Short mmCIF file of all heavy atoms in Angstrom, two decimals:
data_model
loop_
_atom_site.label_atom_id
_atom_site.label_comp_id
_atom_site.label_asym_id
_atom_site.label_seq_id
_atom_site.Cartn_x
_atom_site.Cartn_y
_atom_site.Cartn_z
N SER A 1 0.83 -1.21 0.01
CA SER A 1 0.01 0.00 -0.02
C SER A 1 0.84 1.28 0.03
O SER A 1 0.34 2.29 -0.37
CB SER A 1 -0.96 0.00 1.22
OG SER A 1 -0.25 -0.04 2.42
N GLY A 2 2.12 1.16 0.43
CA GLY A 2 3.02 2.25 0.37
C GLY A 2 3.76 2.38 -0.97
O GLY A 2 4.70 3.18 -1.08
N HIS A 3 3.40 1.56 -1.94
CA HIS A 3 3.94 1.52 -3.31
C HIS A 3 5.37 1.01 -3.36
O HIS A 3 6.04 1.33 -4.34
CB HIS A 3 3.76 2.86 -3.96
CG HIS A 3 2.33 3.31 -4.21
ND1 HIS A 3 1.60 3.89 -3.15
CD2 HIS A 3 1.60 3.23 -5.32
CE1 HIS A 3 0.43 4.14 -3.67
NE2 HIS A 3 0.35 3.76 -4.91
N THR A 4 5.79 0.28 -2.33
CA THR A 4 7.06 -0.40 -2.41
C THR A 4 6.91 -1.65 -3.34
O THR A 4 5.99 -2.40 -3.19
CB THR A 4 7.55 -0.88 -1.09
OG1 THR A 4 7.72 0.32 -0.18
CG2 THR A 4 8.88 -1.61 -1.17
N ARG A 5 7.84 -1.81 -4.25
CA ARG A 5 7.72 -2.81 -5.29
C ARG A 5 8.89 -3.83 -5.25
O ARG A 5 9.99 -3.43 -4.87
CB ARG A 5 7.70 -2.18 -6.69
CG ARG A 5 6.61 -1.15 -6.89
CD ARG A 5 6.90 -0.32 -8.15
NE ARG A 5 5.87 0.62 -8.45
CZ ARG A 5 5.90 1.56 -9.40
NH1 ARG A 5 7.06 1.61 -10.18
NH2 ARG A 5 4.91 2.37 -9.63
N ASP A 6 8.63 -5.04 -5.62
CA ASP A 6 9.75 -5.94 -5.92
C ASP A 6 9.33 -6.81 -7.09
O ASP A 6 8.19 -6.98 -7.46
CB ASP A 6 10.10 -6.80 -4.70
CG ASP A 6 8.98 -7.68 -4.20
OD1 ASP A 6 8.69 -8.68 -4.91
OD2 ASP A 6 8.45 -7.43 -3.11
N TYR A 7 10.40 -7.31 -7.80
CA TYR A 7 10.20 -8.06 -9.08
C TYR A 7 11.07 -9.30 -9.09
O TYR A 7 12.15 -9.34 -8.50
CB TYR A 7 10.62 -7.16 -10.23
CG TYR A 7 9.81 -5.91 -10.40
CD1 TYR A 7 10.26 -4.71 -9.84
CD2 TYR A 7 8.65 -5.93 -11.15
CE1 TYR A 7 9.49 -3.57 -9.98
CE2 TYR A 7 7.92 -4.76 -11.30
CZ TYR A 7 8.34 -3.58 -10.74
OH TYR A 7 7.57 -2.42 -10.88
N GLU A 8 10.61 -10.28 -9.82
CA GLU A 8 11.39 -11.44 -10.16
C GLU A 8 12.50 -10.99 -11.10
O GLU A 8 12.26 -10.10 -11.95
CB GLU A 8 10.51 -12.47 -10.80
CG GLU A 8 11.15 -13.89 -10.85
CD GLU A 8 12.06 -14.06 -12.03
OE1 GLU A 8 11.73 -13.53 -13.13
OE2 GLU A 8 13.10 -14.77 -11.96
N ASP A 9 13.69 -11.51 -10.96
CA ASP A 9 14.88 -10.99 -11.67
C ASP A 9 14.69 -10.97 -13.20
O ASP A 9 15.15 -10.00 -13.84
CB ASP A 9 16.11 -11.86 -11.33
CG ASP A 9 16.65 -11.59 -9.95
OD1 ASP A 9 16.29 -10.57 -9.33
OD2 ASP A 9 17.46 -12.46 -9.47
N SER A 10 14.03 -11.96 -13.75
CA SER A 10 13.97 -12.00 -15.23
C SER A 10 13.07 -10.85 -15.80
O SER A 10 13.14 -10.69 -17.05
CB SER A 10 13.41 -13.40 -15.60
OG SER A 10 12.07 -13.55 -15.30
N VAL A 11 12.26 -10.23 -15.05
CA VAL A 11 11.37 -9.19 -15.58
C VAL A 11 11.85 -7.77 -15.16
O VAL A 11 11.23 -6.79 -15.57
CB VAL A 11 9.94 -9.38 -15.12
CG1 VAL A 11 9.48 -10.80 -15.52
CG2 VAL A 11 9.70 -9.07 -13.67
N LYS A 12 12.91 -7.65 -14.33
CA LYS A 12 13.33 -6.37 -13.91
C LYS A 12 13.79 -5.51 -15.08
O LYS A 12 14.47 -5.95 -16.00
CB LYS A 12 14.49 -6.48 -12.89
CG LYS A 12 14.14 -7.00 -11.56
CD LYS A 12 15.39 -7.06 -10.68
CE LYS A 12 14.96 -7.53 -9.28
NZ LYS A 12 16.16 -7.75 -8.40
N GLY A 13 13.30 -4.24 -15.13
CA GLY A 13 13.56 -3.37 -16.19
C GLY A 13 12.61 -3.48 -17.37
O GLY A 13 12.67 -2.62 -18.28
N ARG A 14 11.79 -4.49 -17.36
CA ARG A 14 10.82 -4.69 -18.43
C ARG A 14 9.36 -4.57 -17.96
O ARG A 14 8.51 -4.08 -18.74
CB ARG A 14 10.99 -6.09 -19.09
CG ARG A 14 12.38 -6.29 -19.71
CD ARG A 14 12.40 -7.54 -20.53
NE ARG A 14 12.16 -8.76 -19.73
CZ ARG A 14 11.16 -9.62 -19.92
NH1 ARG A 14 10.31 -9.44 -20.87
NH2 ARG A 14 11.01 -10.67 -19.12
N PHE A 15 9.07 -4.98 -16.76
CA PHE A 15 7.72 -5.00 -16.19
C PHE A 15 7.66 -3.92 -15.09
O PHE A 15 8.61 -3.68 -14.36
CB PHE A 15 7.35 -6.35 -15.62
CG PHE A 15 7.16 -7.45 -16.54
CD1 PHE A 15 7.49 -7.30 -17.90
CD2 PHE A 15 6.63 -8.65 -16.13
CE1 PHE A 15 7.33 -8.34 -18.82
CE2 PHE A 15 6.43 -9.67 -17.04
CZ PHE A 15 6.76 -9.55 -18.32
N THR A 16 6.50 -3.30 -14.98
CA THR A 16 6.20 -2.34 -13.94
C THR A 16 4.84 -2.66 -13.27
O THR A 16 3.83 -2.66 -13.97
CB THR A 16 6.20 -0.93 -14.45
OG1 THR A 16 7.44 -0.64 -15.10
CG2 THR A 16 6.00 0.06 -13.30
N ILE A 17 4.85 -2.86 -11.95
CA ILE A 17 3.58 -3.00 -11.29
C ILE A 17 3.16 -1.70 -10.61
O ILE A 17 4.01 -0.90 -10.19
CB ILE A 17 3.68 -4.13 -10.18
CG1 ILE A 17 2.32 -4.43 -9.60
CG2 ILE A 17 4.69 -3.79 -9.13
CD1 ILE A 17 2.35 -5.73 -8.76
N SER A 18 1.88 -1.41 -10.63
CA SER A 18 1.36 -0.19 -10.02
C SER A 18 -0.03 -0.49 -9.45
O SER A 18 -0.69 -1.48 -9.77
CB SER A 18 1.33 0.94 -11.04
OG SER A 18 0.49 0.67 -12.09
N ARG A 19 -0.51 0.45 -8.61
CA ARG A 19 -1.85 0.27 -8.02
C ARG A 19 -2.52 1.63 -7.95
O ARG A 19 -1.89 2.67 -7.75
CB ARG A 19 -1.81 -0.38 -6.68
CG ARG A 19 -1.02 0.37 -5.57
CD ARG A 19 -0.80 -0.55 -4.40
NE ARG A 19 -2.04 -0.87 -3.64
CZ ARG A 19 -2.13 -1.85 -2.76
NH1 ARG A 19 -1.17 -2.67 -2.58
NH2 ARG A 19 -3.33 -2.01 -2.16
N ASP A 20 -3.85 1.60 -8.11
CA ASP A 20 -4.69 2.85 -8.13
C ASP A 20 -5.72 2.67 -7.05
O ASP A 20 -6.71 1.87 -7.29
CB ASP A 20 -5.27 3.04 -9.52
CG ASP A 20 -6.03 4.36 -9.64
OD1 ASP A 20 -6.48 4.92 -8.60
OD2 ASP A 20 -6.23 4.81 -10.82
N SER A 21 -5.63 3.34 -5.93
CA SER A 21 -6.58 3.19 -4.87
C SER A 21 -7.91 3.68 -5.17
O SER A 21 -8.92 3.24 -4.65
CB SER A 21 -6.02 3.90 -3.61
OG SER A 21 -5.86 5.32 -3.84
N ALA A 22 -8.03 4.72 -6.10
CA ALA A 22 -9.36 5.21 -6.44
C ALA A 22 -10.14 4.16 -7.24
O ALA A 22 -11.37 4.26 -7.19
CB ALA A 22 -9.15 6.49 -7.26
N LYS A 23 -9.50 3.29 -7.94
CA LYS A 23 -10.14 2.32 -8.75
C LYS A 23 -10.09 0.87 -8.13
O LYS A 23 -10.58 -0.08 -8.75
CB LYS A 23 -9.55 2.26 -10.17
CG LYS A 23 -9.76 3.56 -10.87
CD LYS A 23 -9.15 3.48 -12.29
CE LYS A 23 -9.41 4.76 -13.07
NZ LYS A 23 -8.82 4.70 -14.48
N ASN A 24 -9.43 0.76 -7.01
CA ASN A 24 -9.17 -0.59 -6.40
C ASN A 24 -8.55 -1.56 -7.38
O ASN A 24 -8.99 -2.73 -7.44
CB ASN A 24 -10.48 -1.17 -5.80
CG ASN A 24 -10.97 -0.35 -4.62
OD1 ASN A 24 -10.22 0.32 -3.96
ND2 ASN A 24 -12.26 -0.49 -4.37
N THR A 25 -7.64 -1.09 -8.12
CA THR A 25 -7.10 -1.84 -9.30
C THR A 25 -5.61 -1.88 -9.27
O THR A 25 -4.91 -0.87 -8.90
CB THR A 25 -7.55 -1.16 -10.60
OG1 THR A 25 -8.95 -1.24 -10.66
CG2 THR A 25 -6.93 -1.91 -11.84
N VAL A 26 -5.03 -3.01 -9.63
CA VAL A 26 -3.56 -3.15 -9.77
C VAL A 26 -3.28 -3.46 -11.24
O VAL A 26 -4.06 -4.14 -11.92
CB VAL A 26 -3.02 -4.26 -8.82
CG1 VAL A 26 -3.60 -5.63 -9.13
CG2 VAL A 26 -1.50 -4.30 -8.89
N TYR A 27 -2.11 -2.99 -11.69
CA TYR A 27 -1.75 -3.14 -13.13
C TYR A 27 -0.40 -3.74 -13.20
O TYR A 27 0.42 -3.70 -12.32
CB TYR A 27 -1.69 -1.76 -13.79
CG TYR A 27 -2.93 -0.89 -13.71
CD1 TYR A 27 -3.11 0.01 -12.75
CD2 TYR A 27 -3.99 -1.11 -14.66
CE1 TYR A 27 -4.28 0.76 -12.66
CE2 TYR A 27 -5.12 -0.34 -14.59
CZ TYR A 27 -5.27 0.60 -13.59
OH TYR A 27 -6.43 1.33 -13.54
N LEU A 28 -0.15 -4.41 -14.39
CA LEU A 28 1.17 -4.88 -14.71
C LEU A 28 1.44 -4.46 -16.12
O LEU A 28 0.89 -4.99 -17.08
CB LEU A 28 1.32 -6.35 -14.58
CG LEU A 28 2.70 -6.94 -14.78
CD1 LEU A 28 3.63 -6.53 -13.69
CD2 LEU A 28 2.64 -8.46 -14.89
N GLN A 29 2.29 -3.43 -16.24
CA GLN A 29 2.82 -3.02 -17.57
C GLN A 29 3.94 -3.89 -18.02
O GLN A 29 4.98 -3.98 -17.28
CB GLN A 29 3.24 -1.54 -17.52
CG GLN A 29 3.80 -1.02 -18.85
CD GLN A 29 2.73 -0.93 -19.99
OE1 GLN A 29 1.62 -0.51 -19.68
NE2 GLN A 29 3.13 -1.37 -21.14
N MET A 30 3.84 -4.52 -19.11
CA MET A 30 4.84 -5.48 -19.62
C MET A 30 5.40 -4.95 -20.93
O MET A 30 4.68 -4.86 -21.88
CB MET A 30 4.27 -6.88 -19.77
CG MET A 30 3.60 -7.43 -18.55
SD MET A 30 3.08 -9.14 -18.70
CE MET A 30 1.79 -8.91 -19.87
N ASP A 31 6.65 -4.65 -20.96
CA ASP A 31 7.37 -4.18 -22.15
C ASP A 31 8.44 -5.14 -22.57
O ASP A 31 8.94 -5.95 -21.76
CB ASP A 31 7.96 -2.77 -21.91
CG ASP A 31 6.97 -1.75 -21.60
OD1 ASP A 31 5.85 -1.68 -22.21
OD2 ASP A 31 7.20 -0.92 -20.67
N ASN A 32 8.84 -5.08 -23.88
CA ASN A 32 9.90 -5.97 -24.39
C ASN A 32 9.61 -7.38 -24.06
O ASN A 32 10.46 -8.10 -23.53
CB ASN A 32 11.26 -5.47 -23.88
CG ASN A 32 12.42 -6.19 -24.59
OD1 ASN A 32 12.25 -6.60 -25.76
ND2 ASN A 32 13.55 -6.24 -23.94
N LEU A 33 8.41 -7.83 -24.42
CA LEU A 33 8.04 -9.17 -24.06
C LEU A 33 8.83 -10.22 -24.85
O LEU A 33 9.18 -10.00 -26.01
CB LEU A 33 6.54 -9.37 -24.36
CG LEU A 33 5.61 -8.75 -23.22
CD1 LEU A 33 4.24 -8.52 -23.82
CD2 LEU A 33 5.58 -9.65 -22.07
N LYS A 34 9.06 -11.33 -24.18
CA LYS A 34 9.81 -12.43 -24.71
C LYS A 34 9.00 -13.70 -24.74
O LYS A 34 8.04 -13.79 -23.97
CB LYS A 34 11.10 -12.68 -23.88
CG LYS A 34 12.01 -11.45 -23.75
CD LYS A 34 13.19 -11.75 -22.83
CE LYS A 34 14.07 -10.53 -22.70
NZ LYS A 34 15.20 -10.79 -21.83
N PRO A 35 9.27 -14.66 -25.63
CA PRO A 35 8.51 -15.90 -25.69
C PRO A 35 8.42 -16.62 -24.30
O PRO A 35 7.42 -17.20 -23.95
CB PRO A 35 9.29 -16.73 -26.67
CG PRO A 35 9.88 -15.77 -27.60
CD PRO A 35 10.31 -14.63 -26.74
N GLU A 36 9.52 -16.55 -23.52
CA GLU A 36 9.49 -17.12 -22.19
C GLU A 36 8.59 -16.45 -21.15
O GLU A 36 8.38 -16.97 -20.09
CB GLU A 36 10.96 -17.21 -21.58
CG GLU A 36 11.68 -15.92 -21.62
CD GLU A 36 12.60 -15.78 -22.81
OE1 GLU A 36 12.23 -16.12 -23.92
OE2 GLU A 36 13.75 -15.28 -22.61
N ASP A 37 7.98 -15.34 -21.56
CA ASP A 37 6.97 -14.70 -20.69
C ASP A 37 5.59 -15.31 -20.89
O ASP A 37 4.70 -14.99 -20.19
CB ASP A 37 6.90 -13.21 -21.00
CG ASP A 37 8.13 -12.45 -20.64
OD1 ASP A 37 8.74 -12.69 -19.57
OD2 ASP A 37 8.56 -11.54 -21.44
N THR A 38 5.46 -16.19 -21.88
CA THR A 38 4.16 -16.84 -22.15
C THR A 38 3.68 -17.62 -20.93
O THR A 38 4.42 -18.51 -20.42
CB THR A 38 4.28 -17.72 -23.36
OG1 THR A 38 4.55 -16.98 -24.49
CG2 THR A 38 3.02 -18.52 -23.61
N ALA A 39 2.56 -17.38 -20.46
CA ALA A 39 1.96 -17.98 -19.24
C ALA A 39 0.56 -17.45 -19.03
O ALA A 39 0.13 -16.51 -19.64
CB ALA A 39 2.84 -17.68 -18.05
N VAL A 40 -0.11 -18.11 -18.06
CA VAL A 40 -1.35 -17.53 -17.53
C VAL A 40 -0.94 -16.68 -16.32
O VAL A 40 -0.15 -17.13 -15.47
CB VAL A 40 -2.32 -18.59 -17.07
CG1 VAL A 40 -3.53 -17.98 -16.41
CG2 VAL A 40 -2.74 -19.54 -18.22
N TYR A 41 -1.37 -15.41 -16.34
CA TYR A 41 -1.03 -14.49 -15.31
C TYR A 41 -2.18 -14.34 -14.33
O TYR A 41 -3.36 -14.10 -14.75
CB TYR A 41 -0.64 -13.13 -15.93
CG TYR A 41 0.77 -13.13 -16.55
CD1 TYR A 41 1.00 -13.83 -17.70
CD2 TYR A 41 1.76 -12.45 -15.96
CE1 TYR A 41 2.23 -13.86 -18.25
CE2 TYR A 41 3.04 -12.43 -16.52
CZ TYR A 41 3.32 -13.20 -17.67
OH TYR A 41 4.58 -13.15 -18.22
N TYR A 42 -1.90 -14.43 -13.05
CA TYR A 42 -2.91 -14.38 -11.98
C TYR A 42 -2.64 -13.20 -11.09
O TYR A 42 -1.52 -12.92 -10.71
CB TYR A 42 -2.80 -15.66 -11.11
CG TYR A 42 -3.14 -16.91 -11.91
CD1 TYR A 42 -2.13 -17.64 -12.49
CD2 TYR A 42 -4.44 -17.38 -12.00
CE1 TYR A 42 -2.38 -18.82 -13.14
CE2 TYR A 42 -4.74 -18.57 -12.65
CZ TYR A 42 -3.69 -19.28 -13.21
OH TYR A 42 -3.99 -20.46 -13.90
N CYS A 43 -3.76 -12.55 -10.70
CA CYS A 43 -3.73 -11.52 -9.70
C CYS A 43 -3.91 -12.09 -8.27
O CYS A 43 -4.68 -13.03 -8.14
CB CYS A 43 -4.85 -10.52 -10.03
SG CYS A 43 -4.95 -9.10 -8.91
N ASN A 44 -3.14 -11.60 -7.30
CA ASN A 44 -3.21 -12.03 -5.97
C ASN A 44 -3.38 -10.89 -4.99
O ASN A 44 -2.71 -9.84 -5.18
CB ASN A 44 -1.97 -12.87 -5.62
CG ASN A 44 -1.82 -13.18 -4.17
OD1 ASN A 44 -1.19 -12.49 -3.37
ND2 ASN A 44 -2.44 -14.32 -3.77
N ALA A 45 -4.18 -11.05 -3.96
CA ALA A 45 -4.35 -10.08 -2.89
C ALA A 45 -4.05 -10.80 -1.59
O ALA A 45 -4.79 -11.78 -1.25
CB ALA A 45 -5.72 -9.43 -2.85
N ALA A 46 -3.07 -10.34 -0.83
CA ALA A 46 -2.68 -10.93 0.45
C ALA A 46 -2.70 -9.88 1.52
O ALA A 46 -2.11 -8.83 1.36
CB ALA A 46 -1.29 -11.56 0.34
N HIS A 47 -3.42 -10.12 2.62
CA HIS A 47 -3.58 -9.17 3.67
C HIS A 47 -2.23 -8.77 4.24
O HIS A 47 -1.37 -9.63 4.48
CB HIS A 47 -4.50 -9.62 4.80
CG HIS A 47 -5.03 -8.53 5.61
ND1 HIS A 47 -4.32 -7.98 6.68
CD2 HIS A 47 -6.28 -7.88 5.62
CE1 HIS A 47 -5.04 -7.05 7.21
NE2 HIS A 47 -6.21 -6.95 6.61
#
């Protein structure tokens, strides 16, 4: 909630996570995508 972020090493510099409290929404901006990024992506909320 304080907007501190961490990333898996393989996506550092390419992906950006952000959150918008007004919309109760989290985003993942993915740039320079690679074939190894192919997957089902899941959103998680942990108290």
Side-chain angles (χ1 to χ4, degrees):
S1 61
H3 295 81
T4 300
R5 304 165 176 175
D6 63 71
Y7 298 93
E8 196 275 326
D9 286 344
S10 69
V11 308
K12 287 181 179 177
R14 299 190 298 120
F15 291 9
T16 303
I17 189 170
S18 60
R19 61 193 291 161
D20 186 338
S21 61
K23 298 181 178 180
N24 293 338
T25 299
V26 63
Y27 303 95
L28 186 67
Q29 177 67 43
M30 304 185 293
D31 297 319
N32 192 24
L33 283 160
K34 302 176 180 180
E36 51 263 43
D37 296 318
T38 296
V40 178
Y41 284 71
Y42 297 91
C43 182
N44 171 266
H47 200 278

